[in-house]
């Protein structure tokens, strides 16, 4: 069946402007004059003004595509414009198009002709076009759709729920109250008719007039049209919904899919409706990457992601953030800030010079860090540095990664040869291997040069820490293991003991270096036969964690923490628990991911023990 509605007669407008006055005041033959007249003389909202201009353009496009006798409204005499209006409203398909869009074209054309000084109404012959307000049923009985639509609009502002006997009873009652007679059709046929009266979405049928106000509808489509006028190729439903989400709170559109259904119903002939977006021309594929690329290139400087999302409001912000993080041409300059790699100014010759500099450092040291490369370019090629001062060290590194990625391996902040890729972990392994001994201050300086934190696990493959400040080669330490474990047993009488609790080393046997908490940490981690170390990670300023008997192995540090809490007398409140763990040396900072879940397990363990 075809959705149909009555074509009502058009009342004469009262706000006509004398044609000669309009010609004196505004340029008569273009859309700008029409727009300014509506805005300034008729005091219409900007969105409505743009919507009317857009409707006139759409009507001209229809007339041209269907080879009507007259096809122009702008740039022609009033007589020609009137002929175009008459031709359009003598065309059955255009009349249907106008009604589906709730007389959008009729209103705009009437307003334009009033501006031109013409008192125009829809020509009488338009009513003789073979059209009907009825739809065929399976038994060929004709039914007037408008009466059903009136009930749907007035009595079901939140939609009619299909398949509900309660809704059906309400619909029949309202129909009789409004129209003065009862429905005779069975429920299945009534629902078929109701389905043709509006927008069906997730088991409900909505009257489009009840979904959005006329003002908000105009703003919605004006926003869409403006995006296309700006050169956007597609508009995403998710982005549209987010843009208007606050406006939709008091309306009848609840998500992006519902918005899509509304747009398809109201303006499906104006746009190409795809799964996730709409466009103003048929497109085989959509590439939001191109829009992001163009925007960042045109901006030229690092751009805040929030500003990028506002600029590209036709693309969902989550989609933008995902693409920024997964495409190397989009370079992270700092947290929440990106630029395009082509905005980093470097000629082919300069790129070759930088590559030569990297090769020289790799030849000498196997790698170069991003920080070292930045400083080297700044010193050797100051003119390259001067062109790119707006970018951070990280931005420099990753822009060069995009431009030189085929020549070198970029892993984190480490640049190495393609055939011998190195990671930051590899670098700290090598650093420890090359040093006989070094201080914490020297290590911190090295980490700063690398633009990195200290990778203690990698470092300790070759190094032992013997005090707060001193590190030596692991070959330079030795222990009396059996005697040392026996001494540990005097302290660790249970399954575990917090490492910082041992401060008196008077009963410990001699070792190659004087005993300190750091030497003990190294011993338990790598040499003990009876104990092992459990912790959240090595710390540069203190020792932390627990000495655990190997026969009482825990699967994870979390499991140990549960036992610690269960066995302690601490109140199982988050603040108290974190203070206890930190004060007793199990953790460094008073934070612990997932501590709430561990507290629940500890409470259960306590309760079980009490029983």
């Amino acid at each position: 069946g075809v959705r149909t509605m009555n074509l009502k007669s058009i009342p004469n407008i009262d706000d006509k402007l004398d044609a000669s006055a309009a010609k004196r005041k505004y340029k008569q033959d273009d859309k700008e004059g029409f727009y300014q007249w509506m805005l300034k003389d008729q005091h219409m909202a900007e969105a409505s003004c743009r919507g009317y201009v857009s409707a006139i353009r759409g009507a001209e496009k229809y007339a041209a595509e269907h080879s009507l006798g007259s096809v122009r409204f702008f740039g022609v005499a009033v007589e020609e414009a009137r002929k175009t209006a008459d031709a359009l409203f003598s065309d059955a398909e255009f009349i249907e198009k106008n009604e589906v869009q709730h007389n959008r074209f009729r209103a705009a054309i009437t307003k334009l002709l009033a501006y031109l000084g013409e008192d125009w109404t829809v020509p009488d012959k338009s009513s003789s076009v073979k059209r009907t307000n009825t739809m065929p049923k399976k038994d060929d009985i004709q039914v007037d759709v408008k009466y059903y639509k009136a009930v749907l609009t007035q009595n079901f502002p939140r939609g009619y729920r299909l398949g509900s006997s309660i809704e059906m009873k309400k619909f029949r009652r309202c129909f009789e109250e409004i129209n003065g007679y009862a429905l005779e059709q069975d429920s299945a046929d009534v629902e078929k008719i109701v389905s043709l009266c509006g927008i069906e979405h997730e088991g409900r049928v909505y009257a489009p007039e009840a979904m959005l106000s006329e003002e908000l509808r105009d703003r919605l489509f004006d926003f869409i049209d403006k995006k296309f006028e700006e050169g956007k190729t597609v508009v995403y439903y998710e982005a549209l919904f987010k843009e208007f989400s606050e406006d939709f709170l008091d309306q009848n559109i609840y998500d992006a899919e519902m918005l899509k259904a509304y747009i398809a119903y109201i303006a499906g002939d104006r746009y190409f409706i795809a799964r996730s977006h709409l466009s103003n021309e048929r497109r085989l594929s959509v590439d939001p990457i191109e829009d992001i690329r163009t925007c960042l290139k045109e901006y030229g400087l690092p751009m805040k992601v929030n500003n990028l999302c506002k600029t590209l409001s036709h693309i969902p912000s989550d989609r933008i953030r995902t693409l920024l993080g997964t495409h190397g041409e989009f370079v992270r300059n700092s947290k929440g800030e990106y630029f395009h790699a082509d905005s980093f100014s470097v000629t082919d010759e300069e790129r070759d010079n930088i590559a030569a500099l990297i090769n020289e450092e790799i030849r000498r040291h196997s790698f170069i860090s991003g920080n070292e490369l930045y400083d080297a370019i700044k010193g050797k090629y100051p003119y390259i540095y001067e062109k790119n001062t707006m970018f951070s060290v990280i931005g420099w590194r990753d822009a060069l990664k995009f431009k030189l990625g085929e020549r070198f391996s970029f892993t984190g902040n480490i640049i190495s040869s393609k055939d011998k890729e190195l990671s930051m972990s590899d670098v700290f392994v090598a650093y420890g291997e090359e040093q006989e001994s070094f201080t914490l201050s020297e290590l911190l300086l090295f980490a700063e040069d690398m633009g990195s934190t200290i990778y203690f696990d990698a470092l300790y493959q070759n190094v032992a820490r013997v005090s707060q400040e001193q590190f030596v080669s692991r070959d330079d330490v030795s222990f009396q293991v059996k005697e040392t474990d026996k001494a540990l047993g005097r302290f660790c009488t249970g399954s575990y003991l917090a490492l910082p609790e041992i401060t008196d080393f008077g009963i410990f046997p001699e070792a190659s270096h004087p005993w300190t908490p750091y030497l003990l940490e190294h011993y338990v981690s790598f040499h003990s036969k009876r104990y092992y170390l459990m912790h959240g990670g090595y710390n540069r300023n203190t020792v932390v964690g627990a000495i655990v008997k190997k026969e009482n192995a825990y699967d994870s540090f979390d499991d140990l923490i549960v036992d610690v809490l269960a066995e302690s007398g601490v109140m199982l409140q988050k603040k108290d628990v974190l203070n206890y763990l930190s004060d007793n040396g199990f953790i460094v900072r008073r934070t612990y991911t997932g501590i709430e879940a561990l507290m629940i397990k500890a409470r259960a363990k306590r309760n079980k023990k009490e029983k």
Side-chain angles (χ1 to χ4, degrees):
V2 178
R3 184 189 299 108
T4 59
M5 290 171 279
N6 280 334
L7 185 67
K8 298 179 182 177
S9 60
I10 315 288
N12 292 337
I13 59 173
D14 298 323
D15 55 356
K16 293 180 295 178
L17 182 70
D18 179 76
S20 60
K23 288 177 181 176
R24 288 194 302 272
K25 194 168 185 180
Y26 301 106
K27 188 177 180 181
Q28 193 71 6
D29 62 351
D30 68 354
K31 64 180 181 181
E32 183 62 26
F34 178 44
Y35 175 85
Q36 294 297 333
W37 174 72
M38 289 188 291
L39 183 67
K40 296 176 181 177
D41 287 42
Q42 303 296 294
H43 308 294
M44 293 170 61
E46 287 187 31
S48 297
C49 296
R50 285 194 290 267
Y52 275 36
V53 171
S54 175
I56 295 296
R57 286 299 193 198
E60 286 184 326
K61 182 179 178 183
Y62 180 94
E65 290 177 347
H66 292 75
S67 303
L68 301 186
S70 185
V71 298
R72 296 286 300 281
F73 283 112
F74 292 128
V76 295
V78 61
E79 294 80 7
E80 183 70 15
R82 186 184 64 247
K83 287 180 182 178
T84 303
D86 291 344
L88 286 166
F89 279 93
S90 297
D91 182 90
E93 187 178 341
F94 183 79
I95 294 171
E96 175 71 17
K97 178 185 179 79
N98 174 65
E99 289 186 359
V100 168
Q101 295 192 26
H102 303 284
N103 292 313
R104 172 174 174 266
F105 294 108
R106 183 195 69 187
I109 292 170
T110 303
K111 184 70 72 176
L112 174 67
L113 289 171
Y115 163 64
L116 296 175
E118 180 75 9
D119 184 3
W120 179 86
T121 57
V122 173
D124 291 339
K125 58 185 176 181
S126 69
S127 61
S128 67
V129 176
K130 187 177 181 182
R131 293 171 43 74
T132 175
N133 245 334
T134 62
M135 55 154 284
K137 277 179 36 182
K138 60 183 179 183
D139 56 4
D140 293 326
I141 296 175
Q142 299 291 316
V143 179
D144 202 329
V145 173
K146 70 178 180 181
Y147 300 113
Y148 291 79
K149 190 172 182 66
V151 175
L152 182 66
T153 303
Q154 294 176 37
N155 300 101
F156 294 86
R158 299 298 178 185
Y160 174 91
R161 182 156 52 93
L162 296 169
S164 167
S165 58
I166 295 175
E167 295 280 84
M168 178 57 66
K169 289 177 183 177
K170 178 183 176 182
F171 192 92
R172 289 182 181 279
R173 184 180 72 250
C174 295
F175 186 95
E176 187 169 357
E177 289 174 356
I178 291 175
N179 298 300
Y181 63 92
L183 279 173
E184 297 179 355
Q185 291 90 348
D186 62 37
S187 296
D189 286 338
V190 171
E191 288 208 339
K192 287 180 183 178
I193 300 168
V194 171
S195 295
L196 291 174
C197 291
I199 298 168
E200 187 175 340
H201 179 69
E202 293 186 348
R204 286 182 179 268
V205 179
Y206 301 85
E209 295 84 358
M211 293 179 77
L212 292 184
S213 66
E214 184 176 350
E215 183 272 335
L216 183 52
R217 181 198 66 200
D218 287 345
R219 280 205 290 122
L220 172 68
F221 288 109
D222 180 66
F223 179 86
I224 295 171
D225 291 337
K226 189 175 180 182
K227 290 299 174 186
F228 292 140
E229 288 171 9
E230 291 171 353
K232 304 297 186 293
T233 55
V234 299
V235 175
Y236 290 82
Y237 307 119
E238 284 286 355
L240 263 183
F241 183 79
K242 187 172 182 180
E243 176 72 23
F244 287 89
S245 57
E246 291 188 12
D247 298 296
F248 290 158
L249 287 176
D250 298 324
Q251 305 286 325
N252 240 358
I253 289 182
Y254 311 119
D255 56 32
E257 279 299 310
M258 196 171 186
L259 178 59
K260 172 186 175 180
Y262 179 82
I263 293 172
Y265 182 94
I266 298 296
D269 58 340
R270 289 171 59 191
Y271 309 115
F272 291 94
I273 307 297
R275 183 179 62 83
S276 62
H277 64 273
L278 60 93
S279 61
N280 59 351
E281 59 183 29
R282 189 173 297 280
R283 306 178 65 82
L284 296 177
S285 62
V286 176
D287 185 9
I289 295 175
E290 183 58 38
D291 286 341
I292 298 173
R293 179 184 296 125
T294 299
C295 185
L296 288 179
K297 282 186 175 182
E298 288 178 352
Y299 193 71
L301 299 171
M303 188 176 193
K304 296 291 184 184
V305 175
N306 288 342
N307 292 338
L308 180 64
C309 291
K310 288 178 183 177
T311 304
L312 302 178
S313 56
H314 63 294
I315 305 174
S317 57
D318 289 347
R319 179 79 168 131
I320 291 174
R321 294 177 192 277
T322 297
L323 292 171
L324 288 173
T326 53
H327 288 72
E329 64 183 291
F330 306 134
V331 181
R332 181 175 177 269
N333 194 62
S334 62
K335 186 176 181 180
E337 188 178 62
Y338 282 79
F339 64 93
H340 192 274
D342 286 351
S343 298
F344 185 86
S345 180
V346 58
T347 66
D348 290 343
E349 180 183 355
E350 290 166 350
R351 189 162 50 198
D352 289 340
N353 289 338
I354 293 171
L357 190 156
I358 295 172
N359 274 321
E360 177 60 22
E361 286 300 306
I362 289 176
R363 186 185 65 78
R364 293 167 56 196
H365 302 293
S366 300
F367 69 92
I368 183 173
S369 72
N371 298 56
E372 290 173 325
L373 179 59
Y374 177 85
D375 291 337
I377 295 172
K378 184 177 179 180
K380 191 170 184 178
Y381 303 112
Y383 50 90
I384 299 178
Y385 169 78
E386 291 296 334
K387 291 191 297 181
N388 296 285
T389 55
M390 68 288 295
F391 304 118
S392 68
V393 177
I394 294 173
W396 272 63
R397 181 195 69 201
D398 287 350
L400 290 172
K401 176 180 179 179
F402 181 74
K403 295 176 180 295
L404 296 172
E406 294 182 356
R407 304 195 204 184
F408 304 100
S409 166
F410 287 76
T411 305
N413 201 35
I414 297 301
I415 307 164
S416 56
S417 66
K418 271 288 188 184
D419 57 358
K420 190 180 179 182
E421 297 183 4
L422 295 177
S423 66
M424 191 62 75
S425 181
D426 296 327
V427 168
F428 275 91
V429 169
Y431 180 81
E433 194 173 27
E434 293 170 358
Q435 310 294 318
E436 286 296 323
S437 67
F438 54 91
T439 65
L440 178 62
S441 300
E442 290 169 335
L443 178 61
L444 289 172
L445 187 60
F446 174 75
E448 184 180 343
D449 287 341
M450 293 301 103
S452 171
T453 57
I454 299 171
Y455 282 58
F456 280 109
D457 286 299
L459 188 70
Y460 287 165
Q461 290 185 33
N462 298 295
V463 170
R465 188 174 188 178
V466 297
S467 69
Q468 169 76 30
E469 185 67 16
Q470 194 66 40
F471 296 80
V472 300
S473 168
R474 278 181 67 165
D475 295 336
D476 194 34
V477 295
S478 60
F479 303 95
Q480 301 178 51
V481 175
K482 186 176 180 180
E483 291 78 4
T484 304
D485 279 350
K486 186 177 179 180
L488 276 175
R490 300 280 294 274
F491 291 93
C492 188
T493 55
S495 299
Y496 56 82
L497 178 72
L499 176 61
E501 284 193 32
I502 301 178
T503 56
D504 182 1
F505 297 97
I507 64 170
F508 277 71
E510 285 191 6
S512 54
H513 293 77
W515 280 104
T516 67
Y518 293 97
L519 186 65
L520 177 61
E521 177 185 61
H522 177 79
Y523 171 79
V524 176
S525 295
F526 300 103
H527 295 274
S528 176
K529 298 297 184 184
R530 291 183 57 192
Y531 302 93
Y532 66 101
L533 181 67
M534 291 202 83
H535 58 173
Y538 295 102
N539 187 272
R540 76 184 193 186
N541 297 317
T542 187
V543 296
V544 66
I547 302 169
V548 184
K549 288 182 178 177
K550 289 188 176 180
E551 61 262 32
N552 299 109
Y554 292 91
D555 291 335
S556 69
F557 191 49
D558 280 357
D559 291 340
L560 171 65
I561 293 298
V562 169
D563 251 16
V564 170
L565 297 179
E567 296 294 329
S568 71
V570 66
M571 289 285 292
L572 292 178
Q573 300 295 325
K574 184 175 180 180
K575 184 177 179 180
D576 295 326
V577 163
L578 292 174
N579 284 340
Y580 176 83
L581 293 174
S582 177
D583 291 344
N584 287 277
F586 290 101
I587 61 176
V588 178
R589 287 175 287 276
R590 300 177 197 279
T591 60
Y592 196 99
T593 303
I595 191 64
E596 294 88 350
L598 303 187
M599 287 162 49
I600 293 171
K601 291 181 179 180
R603 182 173 287 112
K605 210 160 196 176
R606 278 188 188 179
N607 294 339
K608 188 175 180 181
K609 186 177 180 181
E610 290 172 2
K611 291 179 181 178

